[in-house]
Amino acid sequence: MCNDKCKQLMNIYKNLNGDFTNEVKEVINKWKLNKWSKNEFLKLRQYYNDNLKNTANREQAVTLYCLLTHAFNNQIAFNSKYEYNTPSGASRQYFSKSLENKLNEYIKVIQNKNINFFDYDFISFPYDAFDNLETFYYVDPPYLITTGAYEKDYFCKWSNEYEYQLLNKLDELNHNGNKFALSNVLEHKGKENTILKHW
């Protein structure tokens, strides 16, 4: 089971299969994307925002993946209008042969596994549907005291309140006999996550 609040990201995962790489290459060729194609990237980003930002279909998945591979630091970020707004990664990011090989290998791996993809936040996730002692939860929330691209993202403004709610949920899972692992940081660049330390 794989869950992430970003519906667009999960839509990519749901569409990864044997044809995905060829469709990516078709879009890249059609829009003339390469290592130096800043203007072409911006045109495709505008097309995505004008036509695909509110969809969850195959074209949305392929197009967004193409944008990610040519975006600054391969980041995924959206504004309050749900528009993809990461700048171009021209001169640095592009769909290289190495990246193509990695994508193909990744697709082979996940096609041989029985993975269901969900796009819940941690509050509305249907824990009861997986309520048995064999369920292991790996939790990787935004880190309260670090600054990442997600912090500027419209979909994920992490807060003290969310930190408390998540830790309470982990206490509840633990009380019910479930096992979990949590990724986080206690200290970072002079900041301290006192909530986590006290927990």
Side-chain angles (χ1 to χ4, degrees):
M1 216 171 44
C2 179
N3 181 72
D4 193 285
K5 184 179 178 183
C6 182
K7 297 179 185 299
Q8 296 89 336
L9 178 61
M10 288 297 97
N11 188 47
I12 291 175
Y13 279 106
K14 290 174 184 176
N15 279 280
L16 290 178
N17 61 25
D19 298 323
F20 191 85
T21 303
N22 287 334
E23 291 175 39
V24 165
K25 290 163 75 173
E26 287 172 9
V27 170
I28 287 172
N29 290 334
K30 177 181 177 181
W31 290 87
K32 298 179 172 56
L33 296 177
N34 57 53
K35 186 175 181 178
W36 311 100
S37 55
K38 179 178 180 179
N39 289 334
E40 291 79 3
F41 169 86
L42 294 175
K43 288 176 183 175
L44 181 59
R45 188 179 73 176
Q46 190 63 53
Y47 171 79
Y48 175 90
N49 289 331
D50 289 344
N51 301 283
L52 302 173
K53 66 180 182 181
N54 294 320
T55 62
N57 58 26
R58 183 77 173 187
E59 185 184 7
Q60 191 265 2
V62 171
T63 304
L64 182 57
Y65 181 85
C66 291
L67 287 170
L68 291 173
T69 58
H70 293 81
F72 177 73
N73 285 347
N74 303 125
Q75 291 181 348
I76 182 168
F78 302 88
N79 62 23
S80 60
K81 297 177 181 176
Y82 296 90
E83 295 170 331
Y84 181 72
N85 65 352
T86 308
S88 167
S91 82
R92 296 176 64 188
Q93 264 74 42
Y94 69 105
F95 190 67
S96 63
K97 189 64 181 174
S98 172
L99 187 55
E100 179 182 345
N101 291 339
K102 288 177 184 177
L103 175 61
N104 285 330
E105 288 302 312
Y106 188 77
I107 289 172
K108 284 180 189 174
V109 169
I110 66 168
Q111 282 189 314
N112 289 324
K113 297 181 183 294
N114 181 21
I115 305 175
N116 293 306
F117 296 98
F118 301 97
D119 51 33
Y120 297 101
D121 61 36
F122 76 92
I123 297 169
S124 60
F125 186 82
Y127 297 92
D128 291 347
F130 308 97
D131 189 19
N132 66 70
L133 298 183
E134 294 181 7
T135 302
F136 176 84
Y137 294 90
Y138 169 61
V139 184
D140 187 20
Y143 301 160
L144 187 63
I145 58 173
T146 65
T147 303
Y150 53 76
E151 225 174 71
K152 304 181 186 85
D153 194 303
Y154 181 69
F155 299 108
C156 191
K157 297 196 181 295
W158 200 252
S159 64
N160 287 357
E161 181 183 352
Y162 282 141
E163 190 86 353
Y164 280 118
Q165 286 181 314
L166 177 62
L167 297 177
N168 288 337
K169 173 51 74 174
L170 294 179
D171 280 336
E172 182 184 323
L173 292 173
N174 182 60
H175 178 75
N176 292 338
N178 293 114
K179 293 180 172 60
F180 68 85
L182 170 67
S183 290
N184 215 314
V185 292
L186 295 171
E187 298 176 0
H188 179 73
K189 294 184 177 178
K191 294 182 180 179
E192 185 179 51
N193 187 337
T194 56
I195 297 172
L196 186 59
K197 279 193 171 183
H198 290 158
W199 180 73

